[in-house]
Amino acid sequence: MTVEGTRQVVTPTKANTLAGVSLADGKLPWEVKAGGSSWFGNYSTPLVDGATVYYSAGAKAGKGGTANTTAFKVEKKSDKFVATELWKKDFAAANYHTPLLKDGLIFGFTPALNFFCMDAKTGAQLWTDKTKRGDCGSILDVGSVLVALTSDSKLVVFKASNKEYREIAKY
C-alpha cells in the first residue's frame, strides 16, 4: 500500500499484530493489535484497498478462542502513521485462507466452514451459505463468478453477489 507517499508492505508481525513495513528503510511506520486467537497463529494475507486494510485473524474451528475480521484505515497524522479500527466482526474470519475482496465485498470461509459475504465498507454480514466446506480452501475471482477449491475436494463456482449465495456448479 502507499499512504502519503510512503510505500509499505502490510503483514502480520507477531501474535495478534499487524504492521506496515516501509519499503524505503524496513522500519515499521505503524503497528496495531489485530485480534484473533493468541494461541493459534492462523494468519491470512491482509487485503489492501487504498488506505484501508482488511485482516482476518482466525481460530481453529471447534477449538475455542476468538476469530474476527477487522478493517483499519491507515493515515498520516502529524509526523507519524496511525491505523484506526473502522469495524470488527466476529462472525467471519479466515481459516487457513485469505479472503477475497471484489467490488466492495469480502468473500471467505467462516470458522464453521461455510462461505460468507460481507460488506467491506461496514463489515455487515450479507449472507452465509449452509453447506460445510471441509477445513479450508481458496477462492479466486475469475470475472463474473468466483471459483473455490475446498479441502473436501470440491471445486465450487458461485456468483459474486451481495444478495445471496448462488451456486452455479460443483465438481
Side-chain angles (χ1 to χ4, degrees):
M1 78 183 311
T2 301
V3 177
E4 298 282 331
T6 301
R7 293 180 50 200
Q8 310 168 29
V9 172
V10 181
T11 184
T13 58
K14 54 189 169 192
N16 302 328
T17 304
L18 188 66
V21 180
S22 170
L23 292 178
D25 58 16
K27 293 182 181 176
L28 304 181
W30 60 270
E31 193 171 20
V32 65
K33 287 287 188 186
S37 175
S38 61
W39 58 270
F40 191 76
N42 186 2
Y43 301 118
S44 69
T45 301
L47 303 172
V48 175
D49 185 17
T52 304
V53 177
Y54 304 96
Y55 184 65
S56 285
K60 191 170 185 178
K63 297 287 185 181
T66 60
N68 62 62
T69 298
T70 309
F72 300 96
K73 181 175 182 171
V74 179
E75 55 193 337
K76 194 168 189 179
K77 292 187 177 180
S78 299
D79 62 340
K80 64 180 186 172
F81 288 89
V82 176
T84 305
E85 184 177 299
L86 299 174
W87 53 257
K88 177 189 262 181
K89 301 296 179 179
D90 290 334
F91 78 91
N95 281 306
Y96 308 116
H97 84 290
T98 296
L100 174 76
L101 177 63
K102 178 180 174 71
D103 300 330
L105 303 172
I106 298 173
F107 299 91
F109 294 90
T110 70
L113 311 174
N114 309 95
F115 292 134
F116 71 82
C117 175
M118 65 192 308
D119 183 306
K121 186 172 185 144
T122 65
Q125 179 180 357
L126 301 176
W127 55 257
T128 302
D129 84 311
K130 306 295 184 228
T131 304
K132 298 286 185 209
R133 305 287 177 177
D135 290 328
C136 58
S138 60
I139 301 174
L140 299 174
D141 177 1
V142 293
S144 63
V145 295
L146 303 179
V147 175
L149 181 61
T150 63
S151 67
D152 60 356
S153 301
K154 303 286 189 265
L155 182 67
V156 182
V157 180
F158 62 99
K159 285 298 262 181
S161 168
N162 63 345
K163 304 283 184 225
E164 64 186 348
Y165 173 72
R166 195 169 106 213
E167 191 170 288
I168 305 300
K170 181 169 39 180
Y171 305 94

